[in-house]
Amino acid sequence: MENRRPLKVRGNQFVKNIARWLSQKNITPNQISIASIFCAVFAGLTLVLVPSFVQENKVVLYIFTIIFIQLRLLCNLFDGLVAVEGGKSTPSGELFNDIPDRISDPIIIVAMGYAITCVGFGSTLGWLGALLAVLTAYVRTLISSMGAPTNFEGPMAKQHRMALITGACTISAGESYFFHTDYTMLIALIILNVGCVVTLYRRVRAGYRFLEN
């Protein structure tokens, strides 16, 4: 499928086996897509709670955030595999494939901002990052609807954003335990915002050049 995000992991035999097992159960791709929202909600909840707990518990919350983010990404992976490789695709499948991402990304990114206490504008950065993340997807979809190739390039596409947040949570767990600070999360959120702006520029430029030529 042309509109699928290119992921090498789809070719992994172990992943294919899991997808085949899921497709044999009474589970639909749309249900898996909806499950990804719940994973994002739990990831956001654990991040928002970080400032309310002491260092040892913050580490646990960061670990749970990482787990829920990875579960969300696994849902994103298997909903498409079950739909395509499992032969369970439906006419409305594209809605369930895209809308949950537009909900899940903002939840996690906004929560990331509220987890920051070293500055007073962390929440503002979080809301800005959420807006920019949605805009990158909007631009991709808009340009594709105009006849240009679907463009998943970064540097801050969905998988890059989630990798950045996962890495930030990993480092922040150690930072909060040993230094009682959260500068890593702040730096990661700034990188996310700047990266989304660059991604928007690159996608608009590529779409403009294709459409004009």
Side-chain angles (χ1 to χ4, degrees), residues 60-208:
V60 175
L61 288 171
Y62 280 128
I63 292 173
F64 273 111
T65 301
I66 293 170
I67 292 172
F68 287 126
I69 288 176
Q70 300 312 305
L71 288 175
R72 179 247 168 143
L73 292 175
L74 285 174
C75 288
N76 292 160
L77 171 65
F78 287 114
D79 62 355
L81 284 173
V82 172
V84 179
E85 279 78 358
K88 289 188 174 183
S89 59
T90 62
S92 64
E94 194 60 34
L95 289 175
F96 286 87
N97 183 55
D98 199 63
I99 292 177
D101 280 343
R102 307 293 74 80
I103 299 173
S104 298
D105 276 353
I107 287 174
I108 296 173
I109 296 171
V110 169
M112 188 181 179
Y114 283 101
I116 297 171
T117 59
C118 61
V119 295
F121 53 86
S123 59
T124 302
L125 282 176
W127 283 102
L128 178 59
L131 173 63
L132 291 171
V134 172
L135 275 175
T136 60
Y138 168 75
V139 167
R140 167 176 55 81
T141 305
L142 174 64
I143 294 174
S144 176
S145 70
M146 298 170 68
T150 304
N151 189 345
F152 292 103
E153 71 177 333
M156 203 53 65
K158 180 184 72 176
Q159 71 272 26
H160 305 138
R161 294 192 294 267
M162 292 303 105
L164 174 66
I165 298 173
T166 299
C169 288
T170 303
I171 298 174
S172 293
E175 180 188 1
S176 64
Y177 186 83
F178 292 106
F179 303 106
H180 314 315
T181 58
D182 52 18
Y183 292 110
T184 298
M185 197 63 70
L186 173 63
I187 294 171
L189 192 48
I190 292 173
I191 292 173
L192 186 148
N193 277 275
V194 174
C196 282
V197 171
V198 175
T199 301
L200 279 167
Y201 170 75
R202 293 183 67 186
R203 290 183 179 183
V204 170
R205 182 186 61 182
Y208 172 80

